[in-house]
């Protein structure tokens, strides 16, 4: 006499519902998506290689770096500058190239008043392209 119960048959996992769901999702995404109109992107046809020489690279603009120390002093080329000397250097820099860029490397602990005074001096000298960058705390002690 066999007292063990017969094991129920294992349920088979059918992939048909999964495929149905994936097809429905595919149709849904195809209907709701937008397609790019590649004709709206202007394209220039390729010319012969010897037809035109390559354009000359744009001229390098002069870049002036000014470091603003935590004590509020401005350093230009490693030397501390007074406000009058800094204004004269900025005016000479703008006179040499009106489109030149001035970058101020401000220390994290520099006062806002020192930064405002420096930007006022640059604006009075006629600097049109001024960028202010904050340096990291590790370089704060070096001038």
């Amino acid at each position: 006499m066999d007292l063990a119960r017969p094991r129920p048959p294992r349920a088979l996992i059918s992939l048909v519902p999964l495929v149905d769901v994936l097809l429905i999702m595919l149709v849904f995404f195809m209907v709701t998506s937008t397609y790019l109109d590649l004709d709206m992107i202007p394209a220039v046809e390729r010319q012969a290689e010897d037809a035109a020489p390559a354009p000359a690279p744009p001229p390098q603009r002069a870049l002036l770096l000014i470091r603003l120390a935590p004590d509020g002093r401005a350093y230009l080329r490693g030397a501390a500058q007074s406000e009058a000397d800094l204004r004269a250097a900025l005016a000479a820099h703008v006179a040499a190239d009106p489109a030149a860029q001035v970058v101020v490397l401000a220390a994290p602990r520099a006062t806002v008043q020192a930064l405002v005074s420096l930007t006022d001096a640059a604006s009075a000298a006629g600097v049109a392209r001024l960028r202010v960058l904050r340096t990291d705390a590790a370089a704060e002690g070096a001038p």
Side-chain angles (χ1 to χ4, degrees):
M1 174 165 166
D2 189 17
L3 294 178
R5 286 187 178 170
R7 291 187 180 191
R10 248 180 136 182
L12 296 174
I13 298 175
S14 176
L15 294 179
V16 173
L18 178 65
V19 172
D20 291 344
V21 169
L22 288 176
L23 286 174
I24 290 171
M25 288 174 59
L26 176 68
V27 170
F28 173 76
F29 288 126
M30 285 176 56
V31 169
T32 59
S33 66
T34 59
Y35 297 101
L36 290 176
D37 182 16
L38 295 178
D39 293 333
M40 67 186 228
I41 300 172
V44 177
E45 291 185 22
R46 188 175 180 148
Q47 301 292 328
E49 294 293 329
D50 57 1
Q60 291 290 333
R61 298 285 184 202
L63 179 68
L64 186 65
L65 295 173
I66 300 173
R67 186 176 184 294
L68 186 61
D71 60 357
R73 287 191 292 179
Y75 288 87
L76 180 64
R77 297 180 186 95
Q81 302 287 315
S82 67
E83 189 173 341
D85 292 339
L86 186 63
R87 285 182 189 263
L90 287 169
H93 186 69
V94 170
D97 186 6
Q101 184 175 5
V102 174
V103 176
V104 177
L105 301 172
R109 297 193 184 197
T111 62
V112 175
Q113 182 58 50
L115 182 62
V116 169
S117 298
L118 182 62
T119 55
D120 283 345
S123 177
V127 174
R129 297 176 62 202
L130 178 70
R131 182 179 242 179
V132 178
L133 301 175
R134 190 184 115 183
T135 59
D136 60 346
E140 188 175 320

